[in-house]
Amino acid sequence: MATRRGFLGMLTGFAGGTALATYTSIPDRYLPPREQLPPAIRPSAAETNPRPSSVTRPEDSAFDEETRERAREVGLATREAVVYLELRAGNRFSVGTGWILDDEHVVTNGHVVSQGGEVTCYTVDGDTLALELVEASRDPDVALLRTDDEVPATLSTGAAERLDRDQPLVQVGHPGSVGNWIISLGRFGGRTGVLGSGDTLRSSVPSAQGNSGSPLVTLDGDVVGLTYASTMGQGRFPGSTPEPSDDRVRESFASNSSALHVPVETVEELVDEWTA
């Protein structure tokens, strides 16, 4: 099992969007000793087989049963090459996601790892990979890390340029409010130029803090994007007259947001440049 070493990224706000890394400042006295970090994060039985109340009911789903089952199969296979990045610098503790591109490289976001620090990289089986930073960019938001350890699996890449509107897409990552190696399903929503990143993919795949660096994959299991942020949906156009919503008493809000992803072609171009 490899030792810990690596780099820490600071969360930076983007105009019009929110980066999807999880960052917390914790007094040193509350942090466990380094030799005990982190606790086991292997997916629990509850995460692998969630309670019916914690998942979308078939009758409420926007997808048919065949698509949902295919998404689950692809998600489970994708998990094998998705890693959990736990980063620490002083009293700052953060979490992000990465995925294994080939026998020696892990891809994540630049905002996750670009500022230095210490990283522990976990695979879904609970093993660790020692990582060193190759290069990181904030625009586009991509980073490449290298390992000399044996990797458990790799992901194949597809073509984002061939995506069709409303095509089902799957994501695997670590949304902190939900759990680890969470499989989520949504649709391709097109391309946008938000957040200063130029050509960006937009989807309805559910995402939350901790999903930074997650792979966005097709139902064939090919990576087509790198998740890096989300943007809230606009409720109405400025200048229009607001209208009251229904009169339900609400105990929680479901946010209407879009996940944003760097196209895999952009990721591959940077990888080729950084490894040349």
Side-chain angles (χ1 to χ4, degrees):
M1 195 173 288
T3 57
R4 304 177 301 186
R5 54 193 172 90
F7 301 83
L8 169 69
M10 296 179 63
L11 175 64
T12 300
F14 295 91
T18 303
L20 293 177
T22 299
Y23 294 83
T24 306
S25 291
I26 304 174
D28 287 337
R29 65 182 180 276
Y30 295 124
L31 287 172
R34 290 181 185 274
E35 61 269 16
Q36 296 179 11
L37 274 178
I41 57 172
R42 189 189 308 261
S44 66
E47 292 169 17
T48 305
N49 299 291
R51 298 187 303 274
S53 60
S54 68
V55 297
T56 302
R57 296 175 299 179
E59 60 269 26
D60 295 332
S61 175
F63 299 91
D64 57 40
E65 182 177 357
E66 181 179 357
T67 301
R68 293 195 304 273
E69 180 57 30
R70 179 58 184 165
R72 181 177 180 275
E73 293 173 355
V74 168
L76 288 174
T78 300
R79 276 181 164 189
E80 300 300 316
V82 170
V83 297
Y84 180 105
L85 299 176
E86 182 181 83
L87 304 111
R88 182 173 180 170
N91 68 340
R92 291 185 64 82
F93 176 82
S94 62
V95 169
T97 304
W99 49 277
I100 303 171
L101 174 66
D102 56 36
D103 289 341
E104 58 180 352
H105 292 108
V106 171
V107 172
T108 186
N109 291 140
H111 78 259
V112 172
V113 299
S114 61
Q115 297 299 316
E118 183 181 39
V119 63
T120 305
C121 173
Y122 280 84
T123 69
V124 72
D125 291 325
D127 295 326
T128 59
L129 302 176
L131 299 177
E132 60 181 2
L133 182 65
V134 175
E135 191 64 74
S137 166
R138 297 298 296 271
D139 184 14
D141 200 346
V142 180
L144 184 68
L145 302 103
R146 184 181 179 278
T147 183
D148 291 325
D149 299 325
E150 183 178 354
V151 299
T154 62
L155 295 180
S156 60
T157 57
E161 60 188 12
R162 297 177 186 170
L163 289 173
D164 296 322
R165 170 82 68 163
D166 293 330
Q167 180 175 337
L169 295 171
V170 175
Q171 177 180 262
V172 176
H174 310 292
S177 59
V178 183
N180 301 314
W181 285 279
I182 294 296
I183 303 167
S184 53
L185 172 66
R187 296 187 185 276
F188 178 57
R191 291 173 178 261
T192 180
V194 301
L195 306 192
S197 61
D199 191 12
T200 298
L201 307 180
R202 179 172 54 85
S203 81
S204 64
V205 178
S207 300
Q209 287 191 338
N211 271 126
S212 282
S214 296
L216 182 71
V217 303
T218 66
L219 293 186
D220 292 325
D222 296 327
V223 179
V224 290
L226 172 67
T227 303
Y228 73 98
S230 67
T231 182
M232 296 300 296
Q234 184 170 303
R236 65 186 182 89
F237 290 104
S240 63
T241 302
E243 297 181 359
S245 300
D246 60 65
D247 57 4
R248 287 177 294 164
V249 177
R250 303 170 192 266
E251 297 183 22
S252 64
F253 295 138
S255 60
N256 178 22
S257 64
S258 296
L260 302 175
H261 321 268
V262 179
V264 72
E265 290 89 348
T266 302
V267 174
E268 291 179 312
E269 289 174 5
L270 286 174
V271 169
D272 288 344
E273 176 184 333
W274 293 337
T275 58

